Amino acid sequence: MSQDLPVTSYALLGLLTFGDELTGYELKQRADRTLGFYWVAPAMSQVYSELSRLHRLGLVDASDDRTEGRSTRRYQISAEGRKRLRAWLADQPLEFPVLKHPVALRLLLGHLADPEQTRALLDEHREALTRRIADLQAVRESLRGRDEAGQPFRYPAMVADWGLEYFASEHTIIEKLLTRLEEEG
Amino acid sequence: MSQDLPVTSYALLGLLTFGDELTGYELKQRADRTLGFYWVAPAMSQVYSELSRLHRLGLVDASDDRTEGRSTRRYQISAEGRKRLRAWLADQPLEFPVLKHPVALRLLLGHLADPEQTRALLDEHREALTRRIADLQAVRESLRGRDEAGQPFRYPAMVADWGLEYFASEHTIIEKLLTRLEEEG
DNA sequence: ACAGCCATGTAACTCGTTACATGATTAC
DNA sequence: GTAATCATGTAACGAGTTACATGGCTGT
C-alpha cells in the first residue's frame, strides 16, 4: 500500500487540493509562488515527471484538451489522491526544517576574506531579502478577502504571514550583524 | 582550473581552516555541530567520499596513523586548498537561501486536517525547536573566550548568534500561530 | 561480556538538476 | 515578424541518501 513517495510529490499533490484543474505549466507557477518560499521550487521537468508518476499511481486524474493545435493536459487530484495525502499528513513523522544558507556559510569563513568583502556579502543579501519580501507581500495581498477562518485560503495566508515575519526577522538580524562588523572593525 | 565542486565540498574544506587536523569521523562531528544548523549535516559516508575527492584534487593533505591496530587517517587543508577556497568565496555569485520546512508545508494543507491535528503539529514543532535551541546554545557557549574580533572563533560565534536569533523568532511566530488558531477556532 | 563509540569505506539507489528538443499562441 | 510566453516532454548526470560490511577500542 504505502510505496512511499518523496515529500515533493505530496507537496505538488497538495497544491491540487485547492479546487481546480491545472496544467503542468500552471502547477509550476503555483509552486513558484507558494512552495518556493518554504519547500522547493521544482524544475519544470520535475513537475511533469512527478505528475506522470502521480497519474500512473492513480493519485491524479488527467484530461486532455486537444481543441485545435496545441494539446494541453489538465490534472486534478483524485479521491484516492486525497486519501493518500490525508494519510501522509496523519502518519508521517514530523521532520525538522533544513536550511541551506549560503550567506551563513560564508560568514562562518569570514576569517578567510577581508572585512570589506564580508560586509559586501551581507549587504548583497540584505538587498536580495528586500526583493524577496516584496514578492511574498504580493502573494499575500493576492489572498486578501479569502483568508479568514473557514475560507479557502486561510492556511496559505497563515503560511505567507509566517514567511513575512521570518524575512522581517532575518532582515533585522542582518542589520545587526552589519552594525557589529562596523563597530568592532 | 575551475572544475567545479558542490558547495558541500567547500563547506567541509572550510571546516578544516580552523587550524587542526581531523579524521573523517571528527569532521562529521564538527559538521553536525556547525554546518547542520545552516547548511546540511552530510552523511558519514559522504564525508569520507568528499574527503577522498578533496585529497585526489590536492586540496587536503592526508597523514596515516597506523600506530597499533586501528588505522586512522587525518586530513588538513593544503595551501592549494586554501587558495581554491578563497577563490570560491571571492567569485561565487551569492545564492538565496533555500528552506525546506515540513511544518510550513503541512500548515499550508491545514484544510485537509482537523484543527486538533494542526495544533498538535505546531506544538510538536515548538518542542523540537526548544531542543534545537538548547543544542545551539551549548555550541555557542563552547566558543566563549575566543569569540572577539581578531580571535579564531569570531565568525563561528556570529553565525551561532544569528542562528539563536532566528530560532527565537521562529519560536515566537509559532506561538502567535497557535494563539491565532485557538482564537479563530 | 557486551554495549556503545571510534573508524573507514563500498554499493545501490533516487531525487532533482541542467541541457536538449519541439512546437503553438499571444502581444507588440 | 519576432520575442515572450504557454506547453510538454526526454536524456544525461551528479549529489547525497540508506544499507551494508568490517573491525578496533573503551567503559561497566
Side-chain angles (χ1 to χ4, degrees):
Chain A
M1 170 150 275
S2 163
Q3 75 269 65
D4 238 13
L5 296 169
V7 179
T8 302
S9 304
Y10 289 107
L12 290 174
L13 193 56
L15 292 185
L16 291 172
T17 60
F18 292 93
D20 40 13
E21 225 184 355
L22 300 182
T23 65
Y25 193 89
E26 288 163 348
L27 181 57
K28 161 66 174 163
Q29 290 180 317
R30 181 172 294 180
D32 286 345
R33 289 170 52 91
T34 56
L35 287 188
F37 290 98
Y38 50 84
W39 190 252
V40 275
M44 195 69 249
S45 67
Q46 197 194 355
V47 172
Y48 284 113
S49 54
E50 286 297 347
L51 280 172
S52 67
R53 164 159 61 177
L54 292 171
H55 186 243
R56 184 164 34 79
L57 296 172
L59 308 184
V60 296
D61 294 325
S63 66
D64 290 307
D65 277 324
R66 181 172 294 282
T67 34
E68 306 291 312
R70 171 163 54 181
S71 75
T72 64
R73 179 164 254 230
R74 296 192 167 270
Y75 294 90
Q76 61 183 342
I77 190 169
S78 68
E80 180 64 20
R82 220 171 249 115
K83 205 174 112 191
R84 278 286 292 275
L85 188 53
R86 271 184 223 272
W88 178 76
L89 286 171
D91 301 342
Q92 164 84 357
L94 191 58
E95 311 265 320
F96 199 81
V98 171
L99 181 60
K100 287 192 152 198
H101 205 310
V103 186
L105 175 60
R106 291 159 81 131
L107 181 59
L108 177 85
L109 303 176
H111 60 295
L112 298 174
D114 51 293
E116 182 44 46
Q117 203 183 325
T118 305
R119 208 163 335 130
L121 168 84
L122 293 179
D123 221 66
E124 196 184 330
H125 180 51
R126 182 171 49 174
E127 278 163 32
L129 202 46
T130 304
R131 285 192 297 275
R132 188 57 80 98
I133 288 171
D135 290 346
L136 185 50
Q137 234 143 20
V139 171
R140 179 62 186 92
E141 286 311 317
S142 73
L143 301 174
R144 293 254 180 254
R146 297 107 92 206
D147 54 359
E148 309 273 309
Q151 291 184 315
F153 296 145
R154 180 194 192 188
Y155 292 103
M158 283 184 120
V159 175
D161 287 336
W162 175 350
L164 286 169
E165 288 199 57
Y166 160 53
F167 283 150
S169 140
E170 171 111 333
H171 199 270
T172 307
I173 296 172
I174 296 296
E175 281 183 335
K176 274 198 230 174
L177 288 173
L178 275 164
T179 311
R180 206 167 138 188
L181 281 174
E182 263 165 49
E183 280 173 1
E184 299 175 3
Chain B
M1 169 151 278
S2 160
Q3 76 267 65
D4 237 11
L5 295 169
V7 179
T8 301
S9 304
Y10 289 107
L12 290 173
L13 192 57
L15 292 185
L16 292 172
T17 59
F18 292 93
D20 39 13
E21 227 185 354
L22 300 182
T23 66
Y25 194 90
E26 288 163 347
L27 181 57
K28 160 68 173 161
Q29 290 179 317
R30 182 171 293 181
D32 286 346
R33 289 170 52 93
T34 57
L35 287 188
F37 290 99
Y38 50 82
W39 190 252
V40 277
M44 195 68 249
S45 68
Q46 198 193 353
V47 173
Y48 285 112
S49 55
E50 286 297 349
L51 280 173
S52 66
R53 165 160 58 178
L54 292 171
H55 186 245
R56 184 163 35 78
L57 296 173
L59 308 185
V60 296
D61 294 326
S63 66
D64 289 307
D65 278 323
R66 182 173 294 280
T67 34
E68 304 293 311
R70 171 163 54 181
S71 74
T72 62
R73 179 164 253 231
R74 296 193 167 270
Y75 295 91
Q76 62 182 342
I77 190 168
S78 68
E80 178 65 20
R82 221 171 248 115
K83 205 174 113 191
R84 276 287 291 275
L85 188 53
R86 271 185 222 272
W88 177 77
L89 285 169
D91 301 343
Q92 165 85 355
L94 190 59
E95 310 264 322
F96 198 81
V98 171
L99 181 61
K100 286 192 154 199
H101 205 309
V103 186
L105 176 59
R106 291 160 81 130
L107 181 59
L108 177 85
L109 302 176
H111 61 292
L112 298 174
D114 51 292
E116 182 45 45
Q117 203 184 324
T118 304
R119 210 162 334 130
L121 168 84
L122 293 179
D123 221 64
E124 196 184 330
H125 180 51
R126 182 172 49 176
E127 279 163 33
L129 203 45
T130 305
R131 285 192 297 275
R132 188 57 81 97
I133 288 171
D135 290 346
L136 185 50
Q137 233 143 20
V139 171
R140 179 63 185 91
E141 286 312 316
S142 74
L143 301 174
R144 293 253 180 253
R146 296 108 91 205
D147 54 359
E148 309 273 308
Q151 291 185 315
F153 296 146
R154 179 193 193 188
Y155 291 103
M158 281 185 120
V159 174
D161 287 336
W162 174 351
L164 285 169
E165 288 200 58
Y166 160 53
F167 282 150
S169 140
E170 171 111 332
H171 200 270
T172 306
I173 296 171
I174 295 295
E175 282 184 333
K176 273 199 230 175
L177 287 173
L178 275 163
T179 311
R180 204 166 140 188
L181 281 174
E182 263 165 48
E183 279 173 1
E184 298 175 3

